[in-house]
């Protein structure tokens, strides 16, 4: 991939790495490499894949059901890891 967004993300990654202690970066990179080597990327959904119907609590509390959302039209899912 290329383009302005990819370039900016690479810049941010480099800035964060430069500010982080080298041992911490090494641990994070080793974890990333281990995940890639595990083959997990072969099993993750891709852009355009259909999501399984699910029901999960929202950050606001109530349960969100994909089937209910789809009745109102197309759905875009975004996942975030939260703030650590």
């Amino acid at each position: 991939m290329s383009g302005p967004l990819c370039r900016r993300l690479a810049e941010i990654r480099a800035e964060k790495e430069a500010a982080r202690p080298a041992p911490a970066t090494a641990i994070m990179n080793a974890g990333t490499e281990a995940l890639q080597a595990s083959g997990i990327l072969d099993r993750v959904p891709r852009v355009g894949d259909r999501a399984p119907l699910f029901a999960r609590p929202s950050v606001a509390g109530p349960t969100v059901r994909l089937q209910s959302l789809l009745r109102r039209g197309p759905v875009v899912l975004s996942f975030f890891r939260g703030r650590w």
Side-chain angles (χ1 to χ4, degrees):
M1 286 195 288
S2 63
L5 178 58
C6 289
R7 285 191 294 277
R8 182 63 185 129
L9 290 173
E11 290 170 3
I12 292 169
R13 183 179 295 116
E15 290 167 9
K16 297 297 182 183
E17 257 186 40
R20 185 183 313 120
T25 298
I27 290 169
M28 293 170 70
N29 289 342
T32 299
E33 290 169 12
L35 282 171
Q36 290 170 334
S38 76
I40 195 169
L41 294 177
D42 298 330
R43 299 187 305 271
V44 298
R46 305 279 186 239
V47 172
D49 285 356
R50 290 184 179 264
L53 296 178
F54 64 84
R56 295 287 185 265
S58 72
V59 293
T63 298
V64 175
R65 298 179 192 289
L66 180 57
Q67 190 167 12
S68 297
L69 296 173
L70 287 169
R71 287 188 195 117
R72 298 185 338 211
V75 175
V76 175
L77 294 177
S78 176
F79 300 91
F80 66 97
R81 68 178 190 184
R83 189 164 194 193
W84 296 359

